[in-house]
Structures are given as structure tokens and as C-alpha cells.
Amino acid sequence: MKPDAAVRLGADEYEDHWFIEVDRGTESPAVIERKAAVYRSYWSTGREQAELGAFPRVLWLVPDERRRAVLVHALGRGPAEAWRLHSVARFADAIPGLVAGAGENAS
């Protein structure tokens, strides 16, 4: 697994950890589903949880609302319990979403 970026944001004793996936609209929904399966598989190992106390959210950044809908649909095809791992936001909403701690939730 190799995210496009990993981010750690902290304030006082709180820290949020994120994996970032930048989507430019060039990959098929099947590729997105396979990437999400890789994250689910890694989540199930418990390695990040043992080190950080929680699994980082995966923030999928997209160029526009049309592509956001494509990713929400592709990610929604995975198991319901894994949906909480993911958040989808437009590029323009990335920083506010990270600071707010939830991105633009797709659920």
C-alpha cells in the first residue's frame, strides 16, 4: 500500500492521521474499488492501530462533484463496515476538511 500522501494534524493532545489519495479522474471505478480493498486489507492487519491507536482515515481528493459521485459509488460497493475508513472531498475542500477532522463525508 502506498498512499499519495500521509498527513498528521495535531492540536493539544489530539492528533488526526490521514492517508491521502489524489484522484484526477483517470482511473476506472474498478481501480478505485481495488485500492479501497487494499486499504481494507491493511486495516484488518491492525498494524496502524497498534502504532497509532487508530487507523488513519483515507481522504480521496477529486476535481469536481461529478467525480466525487463516481468515487462515492465505487467506495460504497465495499463492505458497509469499511465505509468509515473513507472520506471524499473536492480539491478545493481538502484543507477545510482535514482541519474539521472529517473531510467531506461520503456516507
Side-chain angles (χ1 to χ4, degrees):
M1 187 192 80
K2 186 175 181 198
D4 293 323
V7 176
R8 180 182 61 92
L9 299 170
D12 299 322
E13 71 270 8
Y14 299 102
E15 282 189 349
D16 284 331
H17 295 265
W18 296 85
F19 291 129
I20 308 294
E21 288 290 339
V22 177
D23 178 87
R24 299 194 184 278
T26 58
E27 296 177 326
S28 72
V31 170
I32 301 302
E33 289 176 35
R34 284 194 299 272
K35 281 187 176 183
V38 169
Y39 279 106
R40 283 193 311 273
S41 178
Y42 186 51
W43 172 50
S44 70
T45 69
R47 284 186 281 216
E48 290 287 329
Q49 297 90 314
E51 184 176 328
L52 302 174
F55 192 83
R57 298 273 312 267
V58 182
L59 177 59
W60 301 79
L61 296 175
V62 297
D64 54 38
E65 284 299 319
R66 184 197 63 75
R67 187 62 179 178
R68 182 181 183 280
V70 169
L71 263 73
V72 166
H73 180 73
L75 295 169
R77 293 175 52 88
E81 69 275 3
W83 185 236
R84 68 177 185 236
L85 299 176
H86 305 286
S87 188
V88 181
R90 294 177 304 132
F91 296 147
D93 299 326
I95 299 302
L98 287 169
V99 172
E104 195 173 294
N105 247 346
S107 55

